Amino acid sequence: MTKGCFFNKIVGWLEIIDSEGSLTKLEFLSFKPQEQNENSPLIEEVKSQLEAYFSGEIKSFDMSKIPVNLKGTPFQKRCWNALFEIPYGETHSYQEQAIKVGSPEAVRAVGGANAKNPIAIIYPCHRVIGKNGKLTGFAGGLDIKERLLNFEKNSIK
């Protein structure tokens, strides 16, 4: 059974989807949704950890409490899993990520995989920037990417 919940934080509205007891989607919404929340223990756990993240209590998510079912190609999954290696408050370039996943020439493909990341924030694709240090591409919009990066950098101090 699939359950979904909408969650509003400093980055705007997020949609959380629990499908059969696994997190399958944590996505930015560009609109205020109709309030239709179907909570589950997993959704409550995700919301609790997001609250802790946004209050600065945690710097990483406890994935032992958040089972995830990633739907994507093997390459996409390698890219998404490599995001966990980027420390909180830091950034890596798409090129660095391509090297991490063993495909140093696949910089654009890494960007394409990140654009399809189904689990925003928890799989921190907002920490990936252009080689020149500029913010590029982000499913939630560059303003949200900048807000997340600034939030993390400011909470380290």
Side-chain angles (χ1 to χ4, degrees):
M1 177 175 226
T2 299
K3 294 191 176 203
C5 177
F6 301 113
F7 187 74
N8 192 6
K9 278 298 166 210
I10 64 171
V11 293
W13 285 97
L14 298 164
E15 182 178 25
I16 306 167
I17 300 292
D18 167 354
S19 182
E20 306 297 325
S22 293
L23 181 65
T24 56
K25 181 162 63 166
L26 176 57
E27 184 174 272
F28 297 99
L29 297 177
S30 59
F31 58 91
K32 181 180 179 182
Q34 299 290 328
E35 289 295 327
Q36 284 184 290
N37 290 327
E38 297 180 280
N39 284 330
S40 68
L42 174 60
I43 287 173
E44 288 302 319
E45 180 63 36
V46 171
K47 285 169 45 178
S48 173
Q49 289 194 40
L50 284 169
E51 288 283 1
Y53 168 82
F54 284 116
S55 68
E57 294 172 38
I58 64 171
K59 307 272 189 251
S60 62
F61 294 86
D62 183 350
M63 298 311 290
S64 71
K65 295 181 180 178
I66 303 177
V68 173
N69 182 2
L70 293 174
K71 295 185 188 321
T73 67
F75 178 78
Q76 287 171 328
K77 290 177 184 179
R78 280 199 327 271
C79 291
W80 300 332
N81 286 317
L83 296 168
F84 285 115
E85 296 180 30
I86 306 171
Y88 181 92
E90 295 183 22
T91 58
H92 284 183
S93 69
Y94 290 97
Q95 184 173 41
E96 288 173 292
Q97 188 181 7
I99 292 167
K100 285 271 185 206
V101 300
S103 301
E105 302 300 318
V107 175
R108 287 182 190 255
V110 165
N114 286 355
K116 292 182 173 146
N117 174 12
I119 314 288
I121 303 171
I122 293 175
Y123 283 73
C125 59
H126 60 276
R127 296 180 190 155
V128 184
I129 61 174
K131 184 178 174 182
N132 61 2
K134 296 202 185 241
L135 301 186
T136 59
F138 188 63
L142 293 181
D143 59 323
I144 291 176
K145 184 173 191 165
E146 184 174 30
R147 245 186 279 165
L148 284 166
L149 291 172
N150 287 336
F151 166 76
E152 289 185 2
K153 287 178 185 170
N154 292 331
S155 69
I156 290 175
K157 296 176 182 174

